[in-house]
Amino acid sequence: MKDREFLLLVCLVSLTLIFSNFSLFIKSIASSSFLQPPLKQAAQQLKLDEFRQSEQAFWNQIKEINLDQSSPPTEVATVNPVTIPPQQKTIASPNPQPSKTPVSSPQKPITSPHTQLSKIPVSTPAQKPVSLPPKPKPTVEKPYTRFLFVGDSIMFDLGVKLQSNLRKTHQINHTKLDYKVSSGLNRIDYYNWYNRTTTLIKSYKPDVVVILFGGNDGQDIIDQNGRYQRLLSKGWEQAYQDRVERYAKLLSASPVRKVYWVGQPMSRKPRYNQIFTVLNKIYQNVSQAHPKIKYISTWDTFTSGGKYLAVVADKSGKRRSVKINDGVHFTSHGANIISEVVLDQMKKDKIIALKSQPSKTSPESPSKTPPATAK
């Protein structure tokens, strides 16, 4: 009696386990080598039906995904769709007998899940246009309109002609001539050109300054240490160069845009030529150290073959004397020739226009400015 109850209990437990996981039981039977072929084929058929049901549930879930409500797509690499032929999808039965249940429809090929995912639109982030820096506008140089002429009495002769030629030929009317007789950079105890030039630049605000010194500087000098230096000695040359350097620094540090330092032309007196040779060398050397200052040599203007000429032709071909009897000061004709040399340099530097129409004046109304006389 007890054996029957035990056997009954075992059967009940076995049936309970079988029905709780029937699919696992069928799979185990199908893989058993002791099962008869009909039962084994039935187990394989149940296994295939279960696979179809799980596959159909997967595709139903894919179809239910709402892509419009999904989060914004990110950049992903898409996979080319691979179509799996129906023959590869069919699971062959171990029994050679044909199955009555169709495995797949040949009219609608089954595609891999990667095929559906590759159809999801992928958007790349919008590239911002590269903003190039604005092209710098070409700087238009302000014209040179205000001219200042400073120096001794020789500058007076030259300055008058420069003013006249700038007004008539280049229509430049803002000019100022400031000179002092018997002055220079030697005797600053007599006339201080450092202070005077600073005052002129602040008050007149010139664009261009033209300088001419040297006619009165051929004398002994007191250097910056208060020591007496004889004319044309090494100590004298150094002391005078210090004066010129100080004046050049003053001009370079000022708002003046361009400075022309005019050298002395050859004289008919050997004494002046000996002094002017040393002075011109100092003017040239100092000017080269200051980019704002241009040295203009006039040494050969009144020469021919290295010899002084008392009569020289201007650009129009008119021949007249160029200096008065002292051999230093210009005549009106000589001052006009030196002014042409200065203006030609200004044209090369584009300070004034290369070509300008002369101002129109009627014969009945001559110019109010009288011609300058030699001093």
Side-chain angles (χ1 to χ4, degrees), residues 12 43 45 64-65 88 92 103 108 170 176 228 238-239 258-259 287 297 347 356 366:
L12 290 176
Q45 185 64 35
E64 290 176 359
I65 296 176
Q88 298 179 2
V103 177
K108 187 177 181 180
H170 300 279
K176 183 177 181 61
Y228 176 86
Q238 184 60 51
K258 191 67 180 178
V259 178
S287 298
S297 176
K347 292 175 185 177
S356 299

Side-chain angles (χ1 to χ4, degrees), residues 242-371:
D242 292 341
R243 302 283 179 86
V244 175
E245 181 67 32
R246 177 183 172 187
Y247 196 72
K249 290 181 178 179
L250 184 153
L251 294 167
S252 296
S254 71
V256 176
R257 300 165 62 189
K258 191 67 180 178
V259 178
Y260 290 100
W261 201 306
V262 182
Q264 292 285 346
M266 181 180 284
S267 173
R268 66 182 180 87
K269 293 185 177 182
R271 178 182 181 275
Y272 282 112
N273 288 336
Q274 185 181 8
I275 297 172
F276 290 163
T277 301
V278 176
L279 296 182
N280 288 342
K281 183 179 179 181
I282 293 175
Y283 299 150
Q284 184 177 12
N285 291 339
V286 173
S287 298
Q288 290 176 351
H290 299 271
K292 187 184 293 186
I293 303 176
K294 169 79 74 174
Y295 172 74
I296 299 178
S297 176
T298 62
W299 182 256
D300 296 327
T301 306
F302 302 148
T303 64
S304 177
K307 295 183 179 180
Y308 175 77
L309 292 180
V311 178
V312 180
D314 60 9
K315 286 186 176 181
S316 64
K318 187 185 297 184
R319 296 176 58 85
R320 290 184 180 179
S321 298
V322 293
K323 288 193 175 183
I324 62 176
N325 294 332
D326 65 1
V328 179
H329 291 81
F330 302 133
T331 63
S332 177
H333 181 74
N336 185 62
I337 293 176
I338 298 298
S339 73
E340 290 174 347
V341 175
V342 176
L343 294 178
D344 287 344
Q345 185 61 54
M346 290 184 180
K347 292 175 185 177
K348 291 179 182 179
D349 297 338
K350 298 181 180 180
I351 302 298
I352 57 177
L354 295 177
K355 293 182 180 180
S356 299
Q357 296 295 332
S359 58
K360 296 181 180 180
T361 56
S362 60
E364 295 78 12
S365 57
S367 174
K368 295 180 181 180
T369 303

Side-chain angles (χ1 to χ4, degrees), residues 111-149:
T111 58
S112 171
H114 297 291
T115 305
Q116 298 293 335
L117 294 177
S118 64
K119 295 180 181 180
I120 300 176
V122 178
S123 61
T124 58
Q127 297 181 355
K128 296 182 179 180
V130 179
S131 58
L132 298 176
K135 294 183 178 180
K137 296 181 179 179
T139 57
V140 179
E141 189 173 8
K142 182 181 178 181
Y144 298 82
T145 58
R146 303 179 74 84
F147 291 74
L148 173 64
F149 313 109

Side-chain angles (χ1 to χ4, degrees), residues 62-128:
I62 293 296
K63 292 179 181 180
E64 290 176 359
I65 296 176
N66 189 354
L67 298 179
D68 296 334
Q69 296 179 358
S70 60
S71 59
T74 57
E75 185 176 358
V76 296
T78 58
V79 182
N80 294 329
V82 180
T83 303
I84 301 177
Q87 298 87 330
Q88 298 179 2
K89 193 66 180 179
T90 305
I91 300 177
S93 172
N95 195 336
Q97 296 180 3
S99 175
K100 296 181 181 181
T101 305
V103 177
S104 61
S105 176
Q107 297 179 358
K108 187 177 181 180
I110 301 175
T111 58
S112 171
H114 297 291
T115 305
Q116 298 293 335
L117 294 177
S118 64
K119 295 180 181 180
I120 300 176
V122 178
S123 61
T124 58
Q127 297 181 355
K128 296 182 179 180

Side-chain angles (χ1 to χ4, degrees), residues 13-208:
V13 171
S14 301
L15 291 175
T16 303
L17 293 176
I18 291 173
F19 285 104
S20 62
N21 197 344
F22 186 72
S23 59
L24 180 61
F25 174 74
I26 295 299
K27 290 179 183 179
S28 61
I29 293 177
S31 59
S32 176
S33 58
F34 300 100
L35 195 65
Q36 296 296 324
L39 294 177
K40 196 170 186 178
Q41 182 178 0
Q44 290 287 351
Q45 185 64 35
L46 292 175
K47 183 178 180 181
L48 182 61
D49 292 340
E50 183 182 0
F51 173 79
R52 289 198 188 98
Q53 291 178 3
S54 61
E55 182 182 27
Q56 186 63 34
F58 171 78
W59 291 117
N60 290 337
Q61 291 179 359
I62 293 296
K63 292 179 181 180
E64 290 176 359
I65 296 176
N66 189 354
L67 298 179
D68 296 334
Q69 296 179 358
S70 60
S71 59
T74 57
E75 185 176 358
V76 296
T78 58
V79 182
N80 294 329
V82 180
T83 303
I84 301 177
Q87 298 87 330
Q88 298 179 2
K89 193 66 180 179
T90 305
I91 300 177
S93 172
N95 195 336
Q97 296 180 3
S99 175
K100 296 181 181 181
T101 305
V103 177
S104 61
S105 176
Q107 297 179 358
K108 187 177 181 180
I110 301 175
T111 58
S112 171
H114 297 291
T115 305
Q116 298 293 335
L117 294 177
S118 64
K119 295 180 181 180
I120 300 176
V122 178
S123 61
T124 58
Q127 297 181 355
K128 296 182 179 180
V130 179
S131 58
L132 298 176
K135 294 183 178 180
K137 296 181 179 179
T139 57
V140 179
E141 189 173 8
K142 182 181 178 181
Y144 298 82
T145 58
R146 303 179 74 84
F147 291 74
L148 173 64
F149 313 109
V150 295
D152 51 22
S153 56
I154 303 177
M155 171 52 84
F156 172 80
D157 302 329
L158 176 60
V160 169
K161 285 299 179 181
L162 286 171
Q163 286 180 307
S164 177
N165 291 335
L166 286 172
R167 181 177 64 253
K168 292 180 180 179
T169 308
H170 300 279
Q171 292 78 50
I172 295 176
N173 299 317
H174 296 288
T175 61
K176 183 177 181 61
L177 173 59
D178 194 271
Y179 72 101
K180 179 66 176 178
V181 177
S182 301
S183 69
L185 297 179
N186 188 325
R187 295 290 304 275
I188 57 176
D189 57 323
Y190 163 71
Y191 193 82
N192 193 321
W193 270 110
Y194 307 114
N195 295 339
R196 179 58 182 168
T197 303
T198 301
T199 301
L200 289 170
I201 292 175
K202 289 182 178 179
S203 60
Y204 185 65
K205 296 178 174 59
D207 297 315
V208 180

